[in-house]
């Protein structure tokens, strides 16, 4: 069944075999928390002059969507084109009246992989990406959903999240990525005129498959041309660029490897790479959600990996201020931020997309933010870990075992 889904997706052109290129001339800003990034997203929509593209997994009615729909309706009244790609499962919290408001305003909607009983396990294939692109000029990417959980408490659940606001030539690639999924859902080809940036960025032809020459770009070059960025994707088991690039960066890291994920069920090869990096003396830190996770079962299942990681010298932090939903990796001068949790399930079934960035300024910003996040976390020591009660061990073992069985079956 899995094989046929992959073939089917290949035939429809949803997959892209060639990696997206590295591009220079981009600028980015890290936005922390829904109270910062939702208003910035609405402001960008209000300033749009031509077109707006949205692709989001988790979309539910509430205050966030009310404001977003208002801004999309205003955009339509100004004569702009608006395309909104939703995941059929992730958007089940979007009520009929909101869908109708969007349709009435002339927003074009598409639903990825409509749920149907006869699709059996193909229903698991979901579009997990998170993207807002405006005029081919500005994009917002990161881990957020469009729902009130990401608003600060007490208006929402106060989930902790990071988003990146990007301006530059790489936005063209995000638009093309969007167009591929749109074509798969609606059998309709969208073509966008690229925005003309004054410092038009290049796809760096000499970057090589692993982007090695990009990494030797000097900070003067980056300061002059703007940050280097590339889109990186996962599209089912046969296209796992995000994971491959993560693993490569972990293996090549020299000083720092900080990984933040909301659901920590990484593959064996990623876990081994983390352990090896820590043994080489790299400062390897994992920032995980702790027991405020919205899926406690996954949290407990993920804990079965702690012992070997701690023994290898990996520092594990559990965030205590709220549910930390962010998904980001900082490896020396390289950042990857986006939709991918790096867990088995996501990698097997979902469309994922991350922004990879080489930009010292963003690295500094992210480092500062993560240092703050570590302060709001509890660091687990090997000694306290080994002393945890038996019932907890049992619980982790059973849930870990269940997770492994589920992954084998599906
Ligand atoms: O899948 P994520 O990481 O976007 O998180 C959304 C969760 O499914 C909510 O339970």
């Amino acid at each position: 069944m899995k094989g046929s889904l992959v073939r089917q997706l290949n035939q429809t052109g949803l997959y892209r075999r060639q990696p997206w290129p590295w591009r220079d001339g981009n600028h980015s800003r890290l936005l922390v928390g829904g109270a910062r990034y939702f208003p910035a997203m609405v402001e960008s929509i209000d300033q749009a002059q031509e077109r707006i593209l949205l692709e989001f997994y988790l979309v539910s009615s509430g205050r966030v969507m009310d404001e977003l729909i208002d801004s999309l309706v205003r955009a339509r009244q100004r004569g702009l084109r608006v395309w909104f790609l939703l995941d059929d499962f992730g958007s089940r919290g979007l009520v009929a009246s909101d869908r109708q408001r969007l349709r009435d305003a002339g927003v074009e909607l598409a639903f990825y992989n409509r749920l149907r009983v006869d699709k059996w396990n193909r229903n698991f294939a979901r579009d997990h990406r998170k993207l807002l692109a405006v005029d081919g000029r500005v994009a917002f990417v990161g881990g957020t959903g469009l729902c009130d959980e990401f608003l600060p408490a007490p208006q929402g659940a106060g989930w902790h999240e990071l988003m990146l606001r990007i301006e530059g030539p790489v936005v063209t690639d995000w638009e093309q990525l969007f167009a591929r999924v749109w074509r798969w859902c609606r059998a309709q080809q969208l073509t966008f005129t690229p925005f003309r940036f004054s410092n038009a960025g290049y796809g760096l032809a000499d970057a090589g498959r692993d982007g090695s020459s990009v990494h030797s770009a000097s900070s003067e070059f980056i300061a002059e041309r703007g940050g280097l960025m590339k889109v990186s994707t996962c599209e089912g088991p046969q296209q796992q660029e995000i994971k491959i690039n993560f693993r490569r960066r972990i293996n090549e890291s020299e000083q720092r490897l900080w990984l933040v994920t909301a659901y920590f069920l990484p593959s064996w090869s990623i876990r081994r790479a983390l352990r090896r990096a820590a043994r080489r003396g790299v400062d390897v830190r994992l920032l995980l959600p702790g027991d405020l996770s919205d899926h406690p079962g996954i949290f407990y299942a993920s804990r079965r990996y702690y012992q070997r990681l701690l023994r290898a010298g990996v520092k594990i932090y559990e965030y205590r201020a709220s549910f930390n939903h962010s998904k980001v990796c900082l490896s020396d001068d390289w950042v990857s931020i986006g939709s991918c949790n790096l867990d088995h399930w996501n990698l097997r079934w979902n469309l994922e997309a991350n922004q990879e960035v080489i930009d010292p300024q963003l690295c500094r910003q992210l480092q500062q933010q993560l240092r703050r996040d570590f302060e709001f976390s509890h660091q687990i020591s090997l000694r306290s870990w080994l002393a945890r009660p038996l019932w907890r061990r049992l619980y982790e073992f059973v849930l870990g075992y269940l997770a492994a069985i589920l992954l084998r079956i599906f």
Side-chain angles (χ1 to χ4, degrees):
M1 187 65 86
K2 248 178 274 162
S4 72
L5 175 70
V6 169
R7 253 197 316 281
Q8 193 192 335
L9 295 178
N10 267 326
Q11 282 158 6
T12 53
L14 183 61
Y15 282 118
R16 182 187 154 100
R17 291 272 167 224
Q18 290 301 315
W20 299 93
W22 281 96
R23 295 189 188 276
D24 62 8
N26 300 287
H27 299 275
S28 63
R29 189 152 39 96
L30 188 69
L31 300 172
V32 182
R36 291 270 326 271
Y37 58 73
F38 284 133
M41 288 161 78
V42 167
E43 187 187 327
S44 283
I45 292 173
D46 283 338
Q47 290 171 355
Q49 295 183 4
E50 200 185 307
R51 59 182 186 261
I52 296 160
L53 283 55
L54 300 108
E55 181 176 2
F56 282 91
Y57 172 67
L58 198 60
V59 180
S60 300
S61 293
R63 286 188 48 204
V64 168
M65 274 313 285
D66 285 348
E67 283 178 32
L68 201 83
I69 293 173
D70 287 347
S71 67
L72 296 177
V73 171
R74 287 195 294 274
R76 284 294 303 146
Q77 286 163 349
R78 299 200 305 280
L80 274 60
R81 299 289 306 272
V82 182
W83 292 271
F84 198 163
L85 181 49
L86 301 112
D87 180 80
D88 199 39
F89 180 77
S91 66
R92 62 202 189 287
L94 187 67
V95 298
S97 55
D98 281 345
R99 293 171 191 231
Q100 200 52 49
R101 266 191 83 202
L102 288 164
R103 286 198 180 97
D104 290 346
V107 173
E108 301 219 37
L109 298 181
F111 292 86
Y112 179 78
N113 196 16
R114 288 282 196 188
L115 296 164
R116 248 185 19 226
V117 176
D118 64 339
K119 286 188 184 171
W120 175 221
N121 68 347
R122 280 182 297 146
N123 285 306
F124 294 143
R126 308 292 5 144
D127 182 356
H128 196 242
R129 293 175 180 162
K130 299 103 170 52
L131 166 71
L132 163 65
V134 175
D135 290 343
R137 188 176 64 85
V138 175
F140 292 81
V141 297
T144 197
L146 301 178
C147 52
D148 292 358
E149 276 76 2
F150 294 91
L151 290 177
Q155 303 113 299
W159 289 4
H160 182 56
E161 187 57 83
L162 307 176
M163 291 291 285
L164 204 58
R165 182 190 186 278
I166 304 155
E167 191 162 348
V170 77
V171 179
T172 310
D173 296 335
W174 282 105
E175 287 200 325
Q176 283 187 37
L177 184 67
F178 176 95
R180 298 176 79 84
V181 189
W182 187 273
R183 189 175 67 196
W184 189 79
C185 295
R186 292 273 304 260
Q188 182 187 24
Q189 181 68 51
L190 303 178
T191 43
F192 305 116
T193 316
F195 185 86
R196 291 172 69 87
F197 290 93
S198 53
N199 60 343
Y202 310 121
L204 295 180
D206 63 346
R209 270 201 64 222
D210 61 354
S212 46
S213 62
V214 168
H215 282 263
S216 59
S218 68
S219 43
E220 290 79 24
F221 174 88
I222 293 171
E224 188 189 319
R225 299 281 316 177
L228 297 166
M229 296 196 188
K230 97 180 267 313
V231 174
S232 158
T233 61
C234 282
E235 296 168 345
Q238 295 196 345
Q239 205 290 66
Q240 305 224 324
E241 189 195 3
I242 297 177
K243 176 181 156 187
I244 291 167
N245 291 354
F246 262 76
R247 196 171 50 211
R248 182 178 295 131
R249 294 303 157 205
I250 298 170
N251 286 331
E252 290 173 359
S253 56
E254 290 173 1
Q255 294 175 349
R256 178 185 316 109
L257 189 288
W258 294 354
L259 176 66
V260 189
T261 176
Y263 306 108
F264 182 67
L265 292 174
S267 66
W268 174 81
S269 66
I270 294 278
R271 299 196 309 272
R272 184 182 60 172
L274 290 168
R275 290 196 304 269
R276 285 183 172 175
R279 285 201 199 100
R280 286 201 307 276
V282 177
D283 173 16
V284 181
R285 303 188 194 187
L286 300 178
L287 180 55
L288 307 176
D291 54 8
L292 295 173
S293 168
D294 68 329
H295 292 300
I298 298 180
F299 162 66
Y300 283 107
S302 73
R303 284 183 139 209
R304 77 193 148 127
Y305 301 134
Y306 282 16
Q307 191 156 317
R308 285 193 76 189
L309 290 163
L310 287 167
R311 280 193 194 283
V314 174
K315 299 174 192 118
I316 301 180
Y317 296 80
E318 290 182 347
Y319 192 69
R320 286 286 159 88
S322 62
F323 171 34
N324 191 344
H325 186 263
S326 37
K327 308 141 191 345
V328 60
C329 182
L330 173 64
S331 163
D332 297 334
D333 63 346
W334 175 89
V335 173
S336 180
I337 178 168
S339 68
C340 189
N341 285 308
L342 216 61
D343 65 289
H344 285 299
W345 191 271
N346 274 229
L347 291 169
R348 181 171 300 174
W349 289 106
N350 292 345
L351 299 183
E352 304 282 356
N354 274 32
Q355 183 70 74
E356 295 185 15
V357 187
I358 298 177
D359 182 343
Q361 202 185 331
L362 178 69
C363 279
R364 277 195 298 276
Q365 254 188 325
L366 188 59
Q367 255 186 66
Q368 279 171 9
Q369 179 56 43
L370 294 184
R371 282 191 200 286
R372 267 195 292 274
D373 291 349
F374 291 133
E375 278 170 24
F376 285 105
S377 306
H378 167 67
Q379 186 180 355
I380 297 183
S381 67
L382 181 60
R383 176 195 275 247
S384 68
W385 186 248
L386 294 175
R388 73 198 190 286
L390 187 65
W391 68 266
R392 272 194 178 271
R393 291 167 192 245
L394 258 174
Y395 201 47
E396 287 153 14
F397 174 78
V398 171
L399 284 163
Y401 195 66
L402 271 177
I405 291 180
L406 278 175
L407 284 165
R408 282 221 174 95
I409 298 177
F410 299 107

